[in-house]
Amino acid sequence: MSVNRPFTRAQRATIVAGMLAFVLVLVVLQLWLLTATMNAYLGGDDSVVWPAAIASASTCCSTWGCSGLSRN
């Protein structure tokens, strides 16, 4: 029989720190994507806007999902 033990405080802190680092990377990626898209759009390249919007929406959903996991 296996016993289901809850995580210790140190294990939970490690998991939360890893999730926060992942969310931070996603937020920085989103800011870079916004900057690159605005640079291209203001330079006259309209073909970048919709793919960047889709990538930004998927990144936003990933960030929201990761932050939702930390509430449990």
Side-chain angles (χ1 to χ4, degrees):
M1 291 198 312
S2 68
V3 178
N4 229 357
R5 295 183 188 161
F7 291 117
T8 63
R9 185 179 301 228
Q11 289 172 331
R12 280 186 278 161
T14 302
I15 291 169
V16 168
M19 289 175 67
L20 286 174
F22 186 68
V23 167
L24 181 65
V25 167
L26 288 176
V27 168
V28 168
L29 176 72
Q30 229 174 353
L31 287 173
W32 173 81
L33 185 62
L34 174 68
T35 304
T37 304
M38 289 303 294
N39 189 22
Y41 180 72
L42 292 175
D45 187 10
D46 295 342
S47 65
V48 179
V49 175
W50 285 110
I54 293 168
S56 181
S58 66
T59 306
C60 181
C61 290
S62 298
T63 305
W64 184 57
C66 286
S67 66
L69 289 175
S70 66
R71 292 187 186 136
N72 292 335

